[in-house]
Each structure stands twice: as structure tokens, then as C-alpha cells.
């Protein structure tokens, strides 16, 4: 079924040349996509506070949270790389440098995705008061952003190191934070004077900051909101192709993801099936796939050419139009601040020197 303007491309033997206004009307009535919310979504049991966000930002950048005090969350999720690291596989504890130039022995088994828009993971339409977040990680094992936020600290390769066991690392981190006067003050400001520094409050602060990392209105969102001049005809053709060949079956909704982990899908590159990733800012977050195997966006699209094991009917001529559309999902005005210092006095973001 023809859903959008095709700029002369034939679908089912019909050549359609719809206006952008007609294309917008058709897309709106179809309901495959929806615009991203204008701001972060905070759950009712972990509401927004600036003190909590500021505390989470310090924790995100402070290598005090790692076993050997050399790695931070930001070591693998840095604003210079759209809050990812531009690597196929991230280098965790003991690593030196930043992004593709980072060196070290501890490689993560899966590609680290960007944490942009994690506030919206699991969202299928307009957020409700009951919305929380999830599923997180490639395998969807964390149901909330709070539960996800603590897992890298416990992971031996990512932040923990072999110096501590999984049971020992959080008590050690809590002890370090309790001995730091600035953190004691910040936790009291964020959670109340009687609140303890705990796994729960650490997770809530980290999650609060990560919810701050959202994209704003892209040209595609402006189109969805009624600005029919926001997309070029080439991008409209790409959007139509994206839908027609089957990409939108999994990449839909406000995040262009159904968040599904479908066990019926085939194993890809000897890895189990993984959660459908968001396509927000996808043009800026190379390399692609859960194994980082596709170096460019066009490579990632072409990976699905002639795939008889998937419900996708994409061929070589479809790659360029789809890529054109996906670039309209980019917001360049994202939050990119890097703290001048962190309360521990350690290097901000860990050992980022080459």
C-alpha cells in the first residue's frame, strides 16, 4: 500500500506524485510514527529535581565509581561521540584515550549504544503519568533506567575490574562517596538530609541525569507536527521507501523502535536476537549493529538487502533514499557539556589521555 509521496517511484505498479501536504495527511492518519516529546519524561516515583540531575552528572563523569578509579560512565558515553564512543566494542577498565583512539585490553562483548533519549525507551506514544522506562540494554534485561544505570558499575569489564567482586563493589563505592564531603552535601540536597547514600540513590541520580540527554525537534518531528516544508522531496521519497520495504515494521513510534526482542528472528552474526535500536540521531552514531560490524550508515542499510530470512524487501536502489530520510532524524543541538572537575578530584571521565 502506498503510504507517502514517492516522487515518481512505482509501488505495486502505481506511480504516485503526492504533494508534501498529502504525504503528511497520509502519514498522520496511518499512525506509524509520532513526534518525540519536547522534554524528558520523569517517572512519578523518581521525579525531576535539578539537584538530582546535577548529582547524577557528577557521578556520570567521576571515575570514583569504578574499581580502579580510572573509568567513568562517560568513558564509553561521551558527548563528542553523541554520548556513545564511536567504537565497535568499547574499552572498559584500564583503558586510555577517548573514542576510536582509546586503547586497552578489556573489550565489551557488544557495541555500546548512545544514551541519547534513554528517557523515552519503551515509549509508544504520548507519555502518561504511569510511564517509567525500559527495556534497557541490547538484551532488554533491565526494565527501568534506574536498574540499568547501576549495572556497568558491577560489570568487571566495564567499570568494576577484577579487584572487587560483584557483591563488594557497591559497598566500596558507597564508602568512597560517604567519605567525600561534597558528595555527602550533594546527596543530601538531592534526596533530603536523612537520605542515605545507597545503591538506590546512586541509581536514581544517574538515571535523572541520563534523562536530561534528549534530542529536541528534528526536521522529521517538525514534519510530524505539521510543518510540511520540513522534509525535502528526496527525504519524503526515502521515508516512503523506509515504510514500503518493511523497515517501519520494527522501527516505528516516537523512537523509531518497537523495543522488541523477538526470539523468532534469526541469530545475526552468531549473536542472539537483540532489542530493536532507536534510529534517533542514527547518522551521527557509527558504527552500527550490536556488534559494530557496519562502519557507515549506508553499510547498515545495505546489510538488509536481499534478506530472505527477514520481512524486508530492500535492494540496492533503496539504500540512498533511506539514508537521506534517516539523516532527517538528526538533532545537532544536543547537550554536550563536560564538567571542569568532579568532586573526587580524579580526571574527568577517567583516563582519556592517549
Amino acid at each position: 500500500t502506498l503510504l507517502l509521496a514517492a516522487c515518481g517511484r512505482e509501488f505495486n505498479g502505481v506511480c504516485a506524485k503526492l504533494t508534501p501536504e498529502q504525504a503528511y495527511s497520509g502519514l498522520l492518519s496511518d499512525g506509524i510514527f509520532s513526534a518525540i516529546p519536547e522534554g524528558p519524561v520523569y517517572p512519578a516515583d523518581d521525579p525531576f529535581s535539578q539537584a538530582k540531575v546535577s548529582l547524577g552528572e557528577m557521578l556520570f563523569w567521576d571515575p570514583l565509581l569504578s574499581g580502579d578509579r580510572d573509568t567513568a560512565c562517560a568513558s564509553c558515553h561521551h558527548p563528542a561521540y553523541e554520548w556513545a564512543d564511536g567504537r565497535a566494542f568499547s574499552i572498559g577498565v584500564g583503558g586510555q584515550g577517548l573514542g576510536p583512539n582509546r586503547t586497552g585490553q578489556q573489550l565489551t562483548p557488544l557495541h555500546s549504544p548512545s544514551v541519547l533519549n534513554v528517557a523515552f525507551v519503551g515509549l509508544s506514544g504520548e507519555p502518561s503519568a504511569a510511564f517509567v522506562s525500559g527495556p534497557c540494554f541490547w538484551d532488554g534485561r533491565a526494565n527501568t533506567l534506574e536498574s540499568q544505570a547501576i549495572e556497568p558499575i558491577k560489570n568487571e569489564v566495564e567499570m568494576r575490574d577484577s579487584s572487587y567482586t560483584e557483591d563488594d563493589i557497591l559497598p566500596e563505592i558507597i564508602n568512597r562517596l560517604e567519605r567525600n564531603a561534597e558528595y555527602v552535601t550533594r546527596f543530601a540536597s538531592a534526596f533530603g538530609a536523612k537520605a542515605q547514600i545507597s545503591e538506590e540513590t546512586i541509581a536514581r541520580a544517574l538515571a535523572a541525569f541520563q534523562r536530561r540527554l534528549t534530542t529536541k525537534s528534528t526536521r522529521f518531528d517538525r514534519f510530524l507536527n505539521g510543518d510540511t516544508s520540513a522534509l525535502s522531496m528526496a527525504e519524503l521519497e526515502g521515508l516512503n521507501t523506509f515504510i514500503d520495504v518493511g523497515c517501519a515494521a520494527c522501527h516505528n513510534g516516537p523512537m523509531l523502535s518497537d523495543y522488541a526482542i523477538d526470539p523468532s528472528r534469526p541469530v545475526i552474526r552468531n549473536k542472539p536476537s537483540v532489542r530493536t535500536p532507536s534510529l534517533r540521531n542514527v547518522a551521527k552514531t557509527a558504527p552500527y549493529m550490536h556488534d559494530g560490524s557496519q562502519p557507515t550508515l549506508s553499510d547498515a542499510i545495505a546489510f538488509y538487502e536481499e534478506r530472505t530470512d527477514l520481512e524486508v524487501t530492500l535492494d540496492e536502489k533503496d539504500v540512498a533514499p533511506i539514508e537521506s530520510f534517516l539523516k532527517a532524524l538528526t538533532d545537532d543541538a544536543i547537550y554536550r557539556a563536560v564538567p571542569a572537575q568532579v568532586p573526587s578530584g580524579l580526571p574527568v571521565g577517567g583516563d582519556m589521555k592517549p
Side-chain angles (χ1 to χ4, degrees):
T1 302
L2 179 64
L3 297 174
L4 289 176
C7 302
R9 174 174 169 151
E10 290 191 2
F11 294 91
N12 301 324
V14 179
C15 182
K17 293 184 179 180
L18 305 182
T19 67
E21 289 76 16
Q22 290 170 320
Y24 164 71
S25 178
L27 185 61
L28 188 68
S29 64
D30 189 77
I32 296 176
F33 308 105
S34 56
I36 201 167
E38 286 297 316
V41 179
Y42 287 83
D45 63 351
D46 194 8
F48 169 83
S49 81
Q50 187 56 53
K52 193 190 307 178
V53 171
S54 297
L55 168 61
E57 184 167 17
M58 292 297 102
L59 294 172
F60 190 89
W61 285 94
D62 201 331
L64 189 71
L65 271 62
S66 64
D68 277 356
R69 298 176 173 87
D70 62 355
T71 308
C73 303
S75 300
C76 298
H77 300 285
H78 196 281
Y81 298 95
E82 305 295 296
W83 298 96
D85 65 0
R87 297 183 53 84
F89 300 107
S90 295
I91 295 174
V93 296
Q96 293 180 298
L98 177 63
N101 295 321
R102 188 168 169 83
T103 59
Q105 301 301 312
Q106 298 285 0
L107 284 174
T108 59
L110 292 171
H111 170 64
S112 290
S114 171
V115 292
L116 276 174
N117 292 320
V118 289
F120 306 131
V121 171
L123 189 65
S124 58
E126 288 294 321
S128 69
F131 175 72
V132 181
S133 57
C136 301
F137 294 113
W138 280 107
D139 60 4
R141 66 185 183 275
N143 292 324
T144 68
L145 187 54
E146 282 76 9
S147 60
Q148 177 277 331
I150 214 74
E151 288 301 311
I153 300 172
K154 299 162 100 174
N155 186 282
E156 180 178 353
V157 171
E158 294 178 37
M159 293 180 70
R160 172 167 60 87
D161 193 56
S162 59
S163 304
Y164 298 91
T165 68
E166 189 171 336
D167 291 335
D168 291 340
I169 187 61
L170 261 300
E172 169 64 19
I173 298 304
I174 291 168
N175 184 260
R176 293 176 190 177
L177 293 170
E178 288 175 337
R179 297 198 310 265
N180 185 291
E182 182 176 346
Y183 272 125
V184 170
T185 299
R186 283 179 174 271
F187 271 90
S189 177
F191 297 105
K194 295 183 179 180
Q196 295 183 333
I197 298 177
S198 64
E199 179 175 336
E200 179 185 359
T201 53
I202 293 169
R204 289 173 63 190
L206 284 168
F209 170 64
Q210 290 181 68
R211 288 190 172 97
R212 163 76 174 80
L213 306 176
T214 61
T215 57
K216 301 299 181 183
S217 182
T218 67
R219 288 187 295 107
F220 182 52
D221 292 296
R222 295 199 294 274
F223 184 81
L224 290 173
N225 285 325
D227 180 1
T228 56
S229 67
L231 296 182
S232 69
M233 292 306 291
E235 290 163 346
L236 283 173
E237 179 184 2
L239 174 55
N240 201 107
T241 305
F242 184 87
I243 296 170
D244 189 67
V245 302
C247 301
C250 296
H251 295 284
N252 50 57
M255 286 278 279
L256 285 91
S257 170
D258 62 3
Y259 318 105
I261 302 173
D262 185 352
S264 69
R265 289 189 304 204
V267 171
I268 299 176
R269 297 185 183 277
N270 298 317
K271 296 285 186 182
S273 293
V274 293
R275 179 173 63 85
T276 306
S278 170
L279 297 181
R280 292 279 174 182
N281 269 40
V282 68
K284 300 280 191 175
T285 54
Y288 302 100
M289 307 297 183
H290 62 283
D291 58 1
S293 59
Q294 304 302 313
T296 69
L297 185 55
S298 59
D299 290 328
I301 299 166
F303 175 76
Y304 293 96
E305 287 181 30
E306 310 297 342
R307 290 292 299 271
T308 58
D309 54 347
L310 299 173
E311 294 182 6
V312 177
T313 57
L314 184 150
D315 56 38
E316 184 176 355
K317 69 180 182 299
D318 299 320
V319 173
I322 291 175
E323 182 175 13
S324 179
F325 160 62
L326 293 180
K327 289 179 179 179
L329 301 174
T330 298
D331 173 22
D332 288 316
I334 63 171
Y335 185 71
R336 298 185 188 275
V338 177
Q341 59 186 20
V342 288
S344 69
L346 293 167
V348 176
D351 190 353
M352 292 187 175
K353 293 182 179 179

